Amino acid sequence: MGNMSEKGEVNLTGAKQSNGVWLVKVPKYLAQQWDKAKEKGEVGKITIGKKQGKSQVCFSLNEELTSVGAAQESDTPLKVPREHPFTMNSLGGQTLAVFSQGEKDEISLEGMVVHRAECRPVITDNYMKLKKVQMKESLKLQRLSQQLERAITTVFKPVANHNFNVEYEKKKKSEGKMVRAERQVVLDMLFSAFEKHQYYNIKDLVDITKQPVTYLKEIMREIGTYHSKGAHKSMWELKAEYRHYQSAEEEEEMQTV
Amino acid sequence: MASLGSSSSSGTEYIVRVPKNTSKKYNIMAFNAGDKVNCSTWTQARMERDMSARKIYGEEETPEGAAGSEFGKKQREEARRKKYGIVTREFKVEDQPWILKVNGKAGKRFKGLKKGGVTENASYYIFTQCPDGAFEAFPVHGWYNFTPVAKHRTLTAEEAEEEWGRRNKVVNHFSIMLQRRLREQTAGDEEEDESEKSTKKKKSGGRGSDLRIHDLEDDFEMSSEDSDNSGEDGEGKTKAKNETGKGKSKKKKNNDKDALEDSDDGDYEGLEVDYMSDESSSSDEEPEKGKPSKGEDLPKGIDEASESEEESEEEKQNEEEAKEEEEEEEAKKTLAQTEKKKKKDSSGESDSSDDSDIEGETASALFMAKKRTPPKRAGGRGSAGSSRTGSRPGTPSIDSAATSNTLRAAASKLEQGKRQTQGPGTDSPAAKRLKMDPSSQSPAPSGKTTPQPPSGKSTPSSSDVQLTEEAVRRYLIRKPMTTKDLLKKFQTKRTGLSSEKTVNVLAQILKRLNPERKNVNDKMHFYLTE
């Protein structure tokens, strides 16, 4: 069972040995208590006895795990009951197997379920209190509507000029108008941009090249085509003679090789 | 840990441990009781996640970078999704179904779907007993319901809908898959020439140009034909009897071996059909099927069947159902022959004996009935020949005849307009007089050129004919007639006089009337003008 098996190969030793296991349904609070167990992992004891011909199974929680709450104080009012008899059920013909998934995704069949059981606490007053608390917790809404005593006045004050706008204008001023660069320079910029992507919006091109729109459009009209409808709507593309894209598939192939 | 000895309780105590450090995640593999899965018989098993849903969630259509891509496409898509509030579910590998293959290629396959909500309100633990006697409890991480996957070919959703629509008509369901396979083979043969990709061979064979919607189609090979199909083949060949009613959909499919009934529930109710043939009990033509016959579908069924039979004789020469087909063919041949004969007789003739046939015949008596009716027809329907001689038929009941007469009346009225007709030389038993084909009339000696108008036809003077002056006058006013014609009008059977007497009386009447004479075609015609 320890060897590295092939990916996907299921280790069937558990099935072959027909390891019998029990599937036990455990209440949430009990599971939570078990999570608090110490390193060794002991949580309690199971007692299997025979009463009037039927086997009785009872689980008894360790004392130290009975307290609910962060601290390990046993005098907090809330205590989890200790005695939990199991109700054993048959499978009813259903075949239940248990498989485990390891860290490296190795799968092994651990065994077959022979019995199903439900773990129920012995009902005590304490238990009732516990349940009441739980219910109150769950009744709390996730989202609340709260009424405010005073209206919030700080956010929506009227302003002469919004901050955002002020900054924008400053930026604009500092950058100044876009200057037309040399035609060849712009062409180079455009070609390098079109090497990365095939379709561009005029706005994006302006952003990349920092050229005035009219100038840029002029150049684009020379070297590219505009798609006014269909896929890649309102986008510019280089003319066929200027582009030499390899198809995506070929690129993938080249990558894998 | 050694188990503690029991003290107070009557049973044995075992320590329960919940190991903390375990890296393994435990899951439940649930099988259905009916599948009778026994894990201990498995020799080998492979299990993987089914990643076919990744493509649906991937949405990676546009290539990234260089060719075909747009600048800023991703951001724009994201902004768009945010704007519309589209929340796409992530593709979580953890939640994907498992594919379990047991005992290699020829073994079973299972698909395990994750059951939701298992760990929400209660936790499941697996209790195993360790060698030292203590119990160890492992929490269950997930629950997967495993169901067996069909390895045989199934119909796609569209095909299934098609077949569902035809379920009442198709009797032999075994051949449905066979048909599909044959269809695919022919499609596959064509495609094989074009593409030689062997991996996709099976699938392309199946697809042709249809759009098929299949689960797991892309990732998993479609299994080849199983022994299931060969079993179906065997069954298909034994379906023998059901070849008859095929006529309808036959034209669509070449090799269609599906059996079809001709009638659907109540489909043909209220249809007025002119009974052209004697095979009224066409519904009984499917006796071997054991289905209840629909009375309304009768003439259609027979005609179709005989047609289809003729077709099928050419097409189905490879059939193995020799015996039963031969039987049927023979029966049909005789029927066809008699049919043709009857058709020659008179097109509009009603088959009142049909009705009695419908009620009387049982399924198994079909062929007997058919063979019986022709002679019965010949006898009872002396009218067939009688239309020529002008004698009266004996058998038919009046009710049916009346209705049939209306139909015939309509039919024959159409004919009247075109053809010249003579006197009331009909065979109709009812009061109405109907004109028959010129061929049924006596070879008109006078060669009448003036066709009588339809309105004039239906005067019911046939059976009440009395050789009176009044009657003769009426005739002569209407149109010029020869003595022979007049004699015809007053047939001896009708008037109850002997032929000699008739002649005498007629002569006397003519003397009294003193009609004018006219020579038409070298024959003396009498006529009166008022």
Side-chain angles (χ1 to χ4, degrees):
Chain A
M1 197 165 135
N3 317 350
M4 261 308 260
S5 48
E6 270 178 51
K7 169 99 173 56
E9 190 71 39
V10 177
N11 185 327
L12 290 173
T13 42
K16 294 207 173 111
Q17 294 166 7
S18 287
N19 297 341
V21 299
W22 290 357
L23 178 67
V24 183
K25 192 173 189 182
V26 172
K28 261 285 189 280
Y29 68 87
L30 194 59
Q32 280 165 3
Q33 299 303 106
W34 287 359
D35 287 339
K36 295 189 200 157
K38 287 201 287 252
E39 195 48 52
K40 258 197 302 195
E42 276 185 34
V43 293
K45 292 195 294 278
I46 263 194
T47 325
I48 304 179
K50 270 220 164 168
K51 235 186 209 173
Q52 297 143 8
K54 283 205 159 180
S55 43
Q56 299 266 12
V57 183
C58 182
F59 171 75
S60 175
L61 187 63
N62 278 349
E63 180 66 42
E64 62 217 9
L65 291 171
T66 49
S67 53
V68 176
Q72 295 262 352
E73 312 147 15
S74 25
D75 50 41
T76 46
L78 272 179
K79 278 183 136 210
V80 164
R82 293 193 66 194
E83 297 300 314
H84 295 83
F86 278 18
T87 353
M88 307 296 282
N89 302 323
S90 80
L91 282 176
Q94 204 184 15
T95 320
L96 293 173
V98 181
F99 72 97
S100 67
Q101 216 182 341
E103 272 168 358
K104 309 231 170 55
D105 286 340
E106 63 259 16
I107 301 167
S108 75
L109 210 60
E110 299 289 335
M112 312 293 296
V113 176
V114 285
H115 281 119
R116 282 183 83 150
E118 281 165 25
C119 184
R120 289 202 167 89
V122 172
I123 314 285
T124 56
D125 280 341
N126 214 355
Y127 179 67
M128 287 312 198
K129 278 192 215 149
L130 176 72
K131 278 290 152 184
K132 217 196 296 186
V133 169
Q134 269 184 8
M135 209 163 63
K136 285 194 182 142
E137 281 276 338
S138 62
L139 281 179
K140 270 196 223 159
L141 296 166
Q142 302 272 34
R143 300 169 186 220
L144 264 185
S145 297
Q146 242 185 343
Q147 191 178 29
L148 301 169
E149 302 97 24
R150 306 184 76 234
I152 296 178
T153 50
T154 51
V155 184
F156 298 110
K157 281 198 181 130
V159 159
N161 199 357
H162 290 279
N163 279 347
F164 174 73
N165 272 351
V166 166
E167 282 169 24
Y168 182 68
E169 274 154 28
K170 265 200 215 154
K171 199 177 79 151
K172 267 283 172 78
K173 275 214 162 154
S174 63
E175 277 188 18
K177 293 216 173 181
M178 294 181 280
V179 182
R180 289 192 181 196
E182 283 289 308
R183 199 184 186 83
Q184 197 50 50
V185 175
V186 178
L187 280 172
D188 287 337
M189 274 197 280
L190 285 173
F191 285 132
S192 58
F194 274 102
E195 262 171 38
K196 295 195 210 101
H197 296 275
Q198 189 174 354
Y199 299 96
Y200 278 87
N201 230 330
I202 191 68
K203 282 197 195 150
D204 298 326
L205 285 173
V206 167
D207 212 29
I208 293 171
T209 57
K210 309 255 184 296
Q211 301 295 298
V213 182
T214 40
Y215 183 48
L216 197 54
K217 270 199 191 164
E218 224 183 274
I219 300 180
M220 278 314 295
R221 243 175 260 135
E222 195 189 289
I223 61 163
T225 46
Y226 180 72
H227 294 282
S228 53
K229 55 184 181 223
H232 324 290
K233 198 167 88 153
S234 61
M235 291 201 148
W236 283 91
E237 181 194 18
L238 282 182
K239 283 193 186 155
E241 55 265 24
Y242 291 101
R243 59 180 144 111
H244 52 279
Y245 296 117
Q246 285 169 328
S247 63
E249 288 169 8
E250 289 176 30
E251 276 192 29
E252 278 177 23
E253 276 187 27
M254 285 176 55
Q255 282 171 20
T256 51
V257 160
Chain B
M1 286 283 148
S3 55
L4 305 170
S6 57
S7 45
S8 47
S9 51
S10 51
T12 43
E13 280 187 4
Y14 305 90
I15 300 240
V16 176
R17 280 199 300 269
V18 178
K20 291 227 141 197
N21 54 356
T22 179
S23 53
K24 287 208 278 194
K25 294 196 180 135
Y26 283 73
N27 302 285
I28 297 281
M29 189 189 281
F31 294 97
N32 217 352
D35 297 333
K36 307 239 189 315
V37 176
N38 189 356
C39 294
S40 42
T41 60
W42 296 353
T43 50
Q44 179 233 32
R46 292 187 64 91
M47 194 150 93
E48 282 167 343
R49 290 277 185 191
D50 170 22
M51 298 295 212
S52 57
R54 196 198 277 275
K55 290 184 195 149
I56 302 170
Y57 278 110
E59 297 175 15
E60 291 175 21
E61 309 127 7
T62 54
E64 291 177 23
S69 69
E70 294 176 11
F71 179 79
K73 178 114 178 133
K74 262 194 179 170
Q75 290 92 321
R76 240 177 311 119
E77 281 296 317
E78 216 185 290
R80 183 173 171 273
R81 257 184 259 127
K82 271 195 187 164
K83 171 177 157 195
Y84 291 117
I86 300 170
V87 177
T88 42
R89 270 178 284 159
E90 265 180 52
F91 175 83
K92 284 187 232 148
V93 184
E94 276 287 300
D95 293 345
Q96 296 312 304
W98 288 104
I99 299 284
L100 169 65
K101 300 175 205 175
V102 177
N103 294 341
K105 196 135 202 282
K108 288 195 183 167
R109 278 157 150 250
F110 295 91
K111 182 164 179 181
L113 294 158
K114 187 163 191 180
K115 180 165 142 174
V118 168
T119 47
E120 271 167 19
N121 297 318
S123 330
Y124 282 95
Y125 278 80
I126 298 285
F127 276 53
T128 54
Q129 194 160 35
C130 296
D132 65 350
F135 276 90
E136 281 195 339
F138 302 97
V140 165
H141 197 73
W143 186 301
Y144 294 87
N145 289 320
F146 279 78
T147 49
V149 167
K151 289 179 93 180
H152 54 270
R153 259 200 219 276
T154 52
L155 297 174
T156 62
E158 284 144 5
E159 287 176 347
E161 282 207 35
E162 242 184 74
E163 294 296 334
W164 177 254
R166 303 189 325 142
R167 73 194 187 286
N168 285 326
K169 297 187 190 166
V170 176
V171 176
N172 181 19
H173 293 101
F174 294 117
S175 70
I176 293 174
M177 294 308 290
L178 173 67
Q179 274 313 296
R180 188 163 170 267
R181 187 161 62 95
L182 291 175
R183 245 182 288 150
E184 286 166 2
Q185 267 180 18
T186 51
D189 288 339
E190 294 162 13
E191 279 209 23
E192 268 179 27
D193 299 336
E194 300 164 12
S195 68
E196 290 174 12
K197 295 207 168 177
S198 54
T199 51
K200 294 222 167 195
K201 221 175 208 179
K202 286 173 194 168
K203 280 184 270 176
S204 65
R207 291 220 196 121
S209 55
D210 304 324
L211 171 66
R212 303 270 169 108
I213 300 167
H214 251 293
D215 295 334
L216 313 178
E217 210 172 24
D218 296 311
D219 283 351
F220 301 98
E221 336 153 359
M222 300 232 279
S223 58
S224 53
E225 302 300 320
D226 257 357
S227 55
D228 289 350
N229 275 324
S230 55
E232 282 167 16
D233 287 353
E235 300 254 18
K237 301 211 169 166
T238 57
K239 61 175 160 58
K241 335 184 171 190
N242 306 323
E243 304 302 336
T244 53
K246 266 208 227 165
K248 286 179 197 164
S249 67
K250 188 115 177 245
K251 283 150 195 167
K252 290 182 199 166
K253 302 180 186 174
N254 294 336
N255 278 341
D256 195 1
K257 291 184 188 176
D258 289 345
L260 297 173
E261 286 183 4
D262 356 30
S263 62
D264 227 338
D265 293 9
D267 265 7
Y268 299 111
E269 272 175 41
L271 254 192
E272 271 194 27
V273 183
D274 202 10
Y275 290 115
M276 295 203 288
S277 59
D278 200 9
E279 286 70 41
S280 56
S281 32
S282 64
S283 55
D284 302 338
E285 234 194 53
E286 321 294 339
E288 300 95 344
K289 285 187 201 167
K291 298 246 174 195
S293 53
K294 305 286 176 188
E296 293 81 15
D297 199 19
L298 322 171
K300 256 194 195 179
I302 291 291
D303 289 349
E304 275 189 66
S306 55
E307 282 170 19
S308 71
E309 200 57 31
E310 287 155 15
E311 285 176 39
S312 64
E313 278 167 46
E314 302 157 9
E315 289 188 34
K316 284 185 283 173
Q317 279 160 14
N318 316 330
E319 293 298 345
E320 295 175 357
E321 309 90 324
K323 272 189 204 170
E324 297 170 32
E325 260 203 18
E326 274 171 28
E327 277 182 24
E328 284 180 355
E329 278 178 32
E330 282 168 5
K332 289 272 166 63
K333 274 181 191 160
T334 56
L335 282 174
Q337 285 164 10
T338 49
E339 261 191 274
K340 284 172 190 163
K341 221 203 301 171
K342 282 159 213 158
K343 277 181 182 165
K344 281 185 201 157
D345 291 349
S346 54
S347 50
E349 241 188 330
S350 78
D351 206 2
S352 44
S353 53
D354 281 353
D355 295 334
S356 46
D357 281 353
I358 297 164
E359 291 141 23
E361 301 308 327
T362 60
S364 55
L366 166 66
F367 294 119
M368 278 176 51
K370 289 218 173 70
K371 283 166 190 165
R372 219 196 305 146
T373 48
K376 191 184 187 182
R377 233 185 148 204
R381 286 323 216 110
S383 58
S386 76
S387 62
R388 302 208 177 98
T389 59
S391 57
R392 242 181 150 175
T395 41
S397 60
I398 295 186
D399 293 344
S400 49
T403 50
S404 55
N405 275 339
T406 54
L407 297 167
R408 260 197 293 142
S412 42
K413 273 187 184 175
L414 292 170
E415 293 176 18
Q416 285 157 14
K418 302 173 196 170
R419 311 177 185 176
Q420 33 170 323
T421 48
Q422 300 232 341
T426 75
D427 62 337
S428 139
K432 271 195 187 167
R433 195 200 333 156
L434 299 168
K435 298 302 178 193
M436 308 315 272
D437 310 325
S439 59
S440 64
Q441 306 296 329
S442 66
S446 48
K448 287 232 162 113
T449 49
T450 57
Q452 288 202 2
S455 50
K457 296 298 171 188
S458 38
T459 47
S461 51
S462 43
S463 50
D464 310 331
V465 144
Q466 294 292 324
L467 187 41
T468 59
E469 191 182 338
E470 209 30 64
V472 177
R473 171 177 280 136
R474 233 184 309 131
Y475 286 129
L476 294 179
I477 287 175
R478 219 189 291 144
K479 83 172 190 188
M481 298 177 83
T482 62
T483 46
K484 255 195 181 173
D485 296 338
L486 282 168
L487 276 170
K488 265 214 176 143
K489 293 277 181 197
F490 302 104
Q491 289 173 2
T492 53
K493 281 200 181 157
R494 294 259 175 85
T495 58
L497 307 165
S498 72
S499 44
E500 265 191 13
K501 269 192 187 170
T502 321
V503 174
N504 286 342
V505 175
L506 192 59
Q508 279 173 20
I509 293 174
L510 282 175
K511 255 195 204 163
R512 254 180 282 151
L513 283 177
N514 204 8
E516 303 194 41
R517 301 170 183 220
K518 189 168 69 170
N519 237 333
V520 178
N521 295 350
D522 294 337
K523 292 247 173 99
M524 184 66 62
H525 283 66
F526 297 109
Y527 70 101
L528 281 170
T529 49
E530 282 287 292

